[in-house]
Amino acid sequence: MLLKTIRIADFLLTGGREMRVMPKPAAVPAHVRAFMLGWAMGAVLQQRGRVGLHGSAVATPHGAQVFCGPSGTGKSTLAHLFAARGYPILDDNIAALSQAAGRARVEPGVRSLRLWDDAIEAYPSAWEGRESVPNTERKFTMMPPADRIQETALPLATVHVLQRGAPCFAVEPVRGAARYAMLRQQVFCPHFLPGTGASAAITNALIALADRTPVVRVRIPDGLGAADLADRLSAAWPARREAVA
């Protein structure tokens, strides 16, 4: 698969094993790195037949909690807040899944966070490595300290799909065939699947994931702040270890 950009770089991905990076003459190294660890890495996972969910993931005593949803729903802000509370980060952008003993696991990945400037101001920290995110003026990457990074894979506990604009807060279990449909919507760069030739493998992996993993829809009213949202989500985590219905 060949991924081409106008100003950053071209990426040639072969069999999920090799990535050749060809930067444009005026490319900013940080932007090349961001694209490589985002879209290019998502395509590599698909070439390997691995599911990558577009979301952030944090480590808890109950397993890895994954937060998915459209841009602006607060995935990275939640990861930032949970890391500050002692829940290390597995990844901020792609929750890469593997299988062990019939159960999905979230592998450690890119642990830098991409935060909007208003989230940085609202929830300040002493984290380092602030760099601008490509094609944005108000979003930056930040690197958490080593003790806020999870270095080993963890069993997947729950997939939270964040939806803003709700009239009131609610956490709704997604069941049956709707769980598979919801998970498929969260796949990172789904438009790459025909080009990677991995549609069948990803579909089978998602069916298995839907059969064994709790998925919840989190309806968030616009007035609910990220800190309050984190409190409400973490309060329910131990109860979500029950078998999937």
Side-chain angles (χ1 to χ4, degrees):
M1 173 176 278
L2 178 63
L3 303 180
K4 298 177 68 69
T5 71
I6 296 175
R7 301 181 181 85
I8 299 175
D10 297 338
F11 299 81
L12 181 62
L13 315 171
T14 306
R17 300 183 305 274
E18 182 179 79
M19 180 189 299
R20 296 187 180 184
V21 184
M22 296 153 278
K24 304 295 183 177
V28 177
H31 293 178
V32 175
R33 182 168 61 251
F35 196 101
M36 179 182 70
L37 297 176
W39 282 27
M41 190 58 67
V44 166
L45 287 171
Q46 289 184 17
Q47 287 184 331
R48 295 179 179 181
R50 297 266 299 276
V51 173
L53 299 178
H54 185 196
S56 58
V58 298
T60 78
H62 316 294
Q65 306 288 350
V66 175
F67 309 100
C68 298
S71 178
T73 50
K75 303 183 293 293
S76 297
T77 303
L78 278 175
H80 182 202
L81 287 172
F82 282 128
R85 299 178 181 190
Y87 299 105
I89 295 169
L90 279 152
D91 198 293
D92 174 47
N93 193 31
I94 309 175
L97 306 185
S98 62
Q99 289 285 330
R103 186 175 180 185
R105 303 191 310 170
V106 181
E107 298 288 340
V110 181
R111 275 64 56 90
S112 59
L113 288 177
R114 303 191 301 173
L115 297 171
W116 294 101
D117 55 0
D118 55 355
I120 296 173
E121 294 172 4
Y123 309 104
S125 69
W127 296 4
E128 299 178 350
R130 178 165 170 166
E131 295 179 342
S132 63
V133 172
N135 302 320
T136 68
E137 295 181 355
R138 299 178 46 238
K139 201 169 189 179
F140 303 88
T141 61
M142 300 185 70
M143 178 60 68
D147 63 350
R148 296 294 187 267
I149 293 175
Q150 175 72 21
E151 299 287 358
T152 57
L154 286 179
L156 173 57
T158 310
V159 177
H160 306 73
V161 180
L162 310 179
Q163 298 180 348
R164 289 201 169 269
C168 59
F169 175 80
V171 177
E172 303 167 349
V174 181
R175 305 189 186 280
R179 185 185 293 139
Y180 166 81
M182 180 73 76
L183 286 170
R184 191 169 186 89
Q185 293 173 1
Q186 314 313 316
V187 171
F188 190 83
C189 293
H191 50 288
F192 287 171
L193 285 171
T196 59
S199 294
I202 298 298
T203 296
N204 291 334
L206 286 172
I207 291 172
L209 183 65
D211 188 49
R212 302 183 180 98
T213 303
V215 178
V216 296
R217 179 186 290 107
V218 183
R219 300 191 185 274
I220 310 168
D222 290 334
L224 184 65
D228 289 338
L229 175 60
D231 289 340
R232 298 188 187 198
L233 292 178
S234 59
W237 282 346
R240 298 233 172 84
R241 289 178 289 173
E242 76 277 4
V244 180

